[in-house]
């Protein structure tokens, strides 16, 4: 392929810019032309497409968000939207597309592939909920942001002998809560992929108090219930002076960590290698520290992401 395009879609994630930079620079290095599509699939359908040159992706590796902007654009799930998108790509002479985004964005890439247009998915979401990869771009930054919040909240929890419920993003996935919870020494981690018993949560807090423990930190994934609903249910089992802190979109922004920048650079370079060889219909990932390319149809139709539940068990053994 000689001319490719790139878009970022769905929730922005720190490191997306590093991936845009890597795709653009690697493609130019390989003698290819690169076009940037603004606002994800919305911009694709609208033809909001521009050529990217070396300076266009300068000074962005350290920035959060995405310089190509993003959008939630449900119209791309329709045949009309997809055909219009392919028409725009052909109008610009584009032969292959790199899609950086999460699960929904992958479904857009899958639709293009099924209609005969080669697309390569690059996993970019703070949620880490994509199959065929151990890690997604943005996850490492997100968990470090949550960790910073946990450490700060711990100061107040200890000073006032309070229980804190810290609600974190992750849509339907518990990875952010799980990893940040283990790193932050959380007393309990509540995730959608594992059942919990509120009575046991309350007993654990009580046992800690009886031993003279001052703080209690519970990290709650938003996919289970809201922090306020959790606090109301906990209050039925005793008065723990619980406060709720909802971190929300703070977890999605900020400068990417070194790990996310390196991961994004690897994924971006690899996506270009694949398209250069004429290979589309794939999604890239990292499994056991090896870059892999998986069939996007098979991945989305047969594979599911599962969090590392050994971390959940470990937390119960070491945090009380
Ligand atoms: P994420 O990619 O972060 O999971 P979304 O779920 O919002 O975020 O998906 C991003 C975009 O991908 C959507 O706004 C839509 O344009 C496109 N998309 C989502 N689902 C589909 C689908 N089933 N078919 C085609 N495009 C889709
Ligand atoms: O997928 C990323 C994410 O931040 C989820 O963790 C969260 O549930 C969702 O996006 C929020 O979406 P929005 O920014 O559209 O409200």
């Amino acid at each position: 392929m000689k001319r490719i395009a790139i878009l970022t879609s769905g929730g922005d994630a720190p490191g997306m810019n590093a991936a845009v930079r890597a795709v653009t620079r690697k493609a130019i290095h390989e003698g290819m032309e690169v076009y940037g599509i603004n606002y994800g699939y919305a911009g694709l359908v609208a033809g909001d497409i521009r050529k990217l040159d070396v300076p266009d992706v300068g000074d962005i590796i350290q920035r959060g968000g995405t310089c190509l902007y993003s959008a939630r654009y449900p119209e791309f799930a329709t045949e009309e939207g997809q055909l219009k998108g392919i028409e725009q790509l052909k109008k610009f002479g584009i032969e292959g597309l790199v899609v950086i985004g999460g699960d929904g964005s992958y479904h857009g890439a899958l639709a293009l592939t099924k209609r005969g247009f080669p697309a390569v998915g690059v996993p970019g979401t703070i949620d880490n909920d994509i199959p065929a990869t151990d890690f997604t771009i943005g996850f490492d930054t997100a968990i470090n942001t949550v960790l910073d919040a946990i450490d700060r909240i711990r100061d107040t929890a200890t000073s006032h002998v309070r229980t804190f419920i810290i609600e974190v993003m992750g849509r339907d996935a518990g990875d952010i809560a799980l990893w940040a919870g283990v790193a932050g020494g959380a007393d309990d981690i509540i995730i959608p992929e594992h059942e919990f018993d509120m009575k046991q949560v309350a007993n654990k807090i009580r046992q800690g108090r009886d031993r003279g423990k001052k703080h209690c930190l519970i990290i709650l994934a938003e996919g289970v219930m809201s922090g306020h609903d959790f606090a109301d249910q906990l209050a039925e089992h005793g008065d723990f002076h619980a406060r709720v802190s909802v971190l929300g979109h703070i977890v999605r922004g900020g400068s990417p960590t070194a790990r996310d920048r390196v991961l994004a650079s690897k994924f971006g370079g690899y996506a270009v290698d694949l398209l250069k060889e004429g290979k589309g219909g794939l999604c890239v990932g990292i499994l056991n520290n090896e870059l892999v390319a998986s069939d996007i149809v098979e991945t989305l139709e047969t594979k599911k992401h599962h969090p590392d539940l050994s971390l959940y068990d470990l937390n119960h053994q070491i945090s009380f």
Side-chain angles (χ1 to χ4, degrees), residues 116-221:
F117 193 90
V120 172
V122 171
T125 166
I126 60 165
D127 299 344
N128 207 45
D129 60 347
I130 303 293
T133 188
D134 290 336
F135 296 107
T136 59
I137 297 167
F139 175 64
D140 187 62
T141 308
I143 58 176
N144 278 290
T145 303
V146 173
L147 182 59
D148 181 57
I150 293 173
D151 290 348
R152 286 165 191 270
I153 288 170
R154 184 192 280 262
D155 292 346
T156 300
T158 304
S159 304
H160 288 263
V161 194
R162 274 182 190 160
T163 295
F164 266 87
I165 294 146
I166 304 173
E167 182 198 312
V168 300
M169 276 191 167
R171 195 144 58 172
D172 302 319
D175 289 56
I176 294 177
L178 192 54
W179 282 68
V182 170
D187 296 80
D188 244 317
I189 302 171
I190 313 292
I191 56 173
E193 297 89 350
H194 203 291
E195 76 284 352
F196 75 100
D197 177 353
M198 196 60 92
K199 207 164 141 210
Q200 278 177 16
V201 174
N203 282 342
K204 197 170 178 187
I205 300 172
R206 229 176 260 114
Q207 283 159 12
R209 288 281 146 80
D210 291 347
R211 287 198 322 270
K213 188 169 181 169
K214 300 283 188 273
H215 63 272
C216 177
L217 301 170
I218 298 171
I219 315 303
L220 169 71

Side-chain angles (χ1 to χ4, degrees), residues 239-280:
D239 186 3
F240 300 106
H241 308 284
R243 292 289 193 276
V244 179
S245 193
V246 181
L247 301 187
H249 287 83
I250 285 173
V251 172
R252 219 159 84 191
S255 180
T257 58
R259 214 180 168 83
D260 271 332
R261 297 183 201 189
V262 171
L263 188 67
S265 302
K266 281 184 172 184
F267 282 164
Y270 189 36
V272 172
D273 285 340
L274 295 168
L275 285 177
K276 191 174 175 234
E277 287 170 26
K279 293 182 186 159

